[in-house]
Amino acid sequence: MIRNYLAQRLVVSERYTGEPGVVADLATSLDVLEGICEGSYDDRDDEDFLYVEQLPPAGA
């Protein structure tokens, strides 16, 4: 899950991929990573974490 969550579309690659880059908020990213480590997102598929800027709160 962590690998997928950290796989964001990069701003520098917009030119090559045609996909807009994502700038994730540091505090939100750390909260989500903490939730992943604590098991708060264990009910979600790994694919839910791929190329997302923010996730709904754990348990939502």
Side-chain angles (χ1 to χ4, degrees):
M1 285 184 199
I2 291 174
R3 180 183 65 194
N4 282 359
Y5 184 66
L6 294 176
Q8 301 293 335
R9 291 183 177 95
L10 302 175
V11 174
V12 296
S13 66
E14 284 182 34
R15 177 178 171 191
Y16 306 104
T17 64
E19 296 287 334
V22 173
V23 178
D25 176 65
L26 179 60
T28 301
S29 297
L30 293 175
D31 287 343
V32 170
L33 289 169
E34 182 178 20
I36 291 171
C37 291
E38 292 175 346
S40 300
Y41 293 98
D42 284 352
D43 60 333
R44 303 237 175 120
D45 291 331
D46 288 351
E47 299 302 315
D48 293 345
F49 294 85
L50 194 57
Y51 303 123
V52 295
E53 181 179 347
Q54 292 182 314
L55 288 169

